[in-house]
Amino acid sequence: MLTRRKFSKEFKREAVELVKSSSKPARDLGIGVNILSRWCREMEKEGGKAFRGQGIPRDEELATLKRELNQVKKERDFLKEAAAFFARGSK
C-alpha cells in the first residue's frame, strides 16, 4: 500500500521557485512533474495565498457559522424577552 506524501507550504513554494529560477527538473527534487506543474499553476493563480491546505477554508467556515449562530441566539433571546414584556403589558 502506498502512502500519500505530504509537503509543507514552504517546501512547495521553494520547489516552485527553484524550478522557475533554474532548469532543475522536478525529478531531481523527488517530485512528480504533474504535481510540480499543478503547484506552479496554483502559485500563479493565487500568489501568496497558494497552498492553504484542505482544512483552513472548512475551519474558517465553521468559525463563521459559530459566530452567526451566537448572534442569532442573542437575537432570539432578546425577542423572547420583548415578547414576554409586551405580553405582560397588554393584560
Side-chain angles (χ1 to χ4, degrees):
M1 181 169 110
L2 293 173
T3 59
R4 186 174 184 171
R5 295 186 301 171
K6 294 183 181 183
F7 301 97
S8 67
K9 288 190 263 188
E10 294 79 20
F11 179 83
K12 291 177 182 180
R13 287 188 177 128
E14 288 177 15
V16 169
E17 292 301 321
L18 185 62
V19 169
K20 284 185 175 183
S21 66
S22 68
S23 59
K24 199 169 202 101
R27 69 176 174 264
D28 286 355
L29 298 173
I31 304 168
V33 176
N34 292 335
I35 292 173
L36 192 58
S37 64
R38 186 182 71 215
W39 292 352
C40 290
R41 285 191 309 270
E42 190 172 343
M43 277 288 284
E44 288 174 11
K45 182 180 174 186
E46 298 190 31
K49 294 183 179 181
F51 315 125
R52 289 178 278 177
Q54 295 177 341
I56 293 174
R58 184 187 68 222
D59 294 342
E60 288 175 0
E61 181 182 14
L62 181 61
T64 301
L65 291 172
K66 284 183 178 182
R67 281 192 299 273
E68 289 176 8
L69 179 61
N70 283 335
Q71 180 65 30
V72 168
K73 284 181 178 180
K74 287 178 185 177
E75 291 170 358
R76 177 201 61 198
D77 293 342
F78 173 78
L79 290 173
K80 277 184 181 179
E81 290 176 18
F85 174 79
F86 288 115
R88 280 179 285 182
S90 66
K91 288 185 180 181

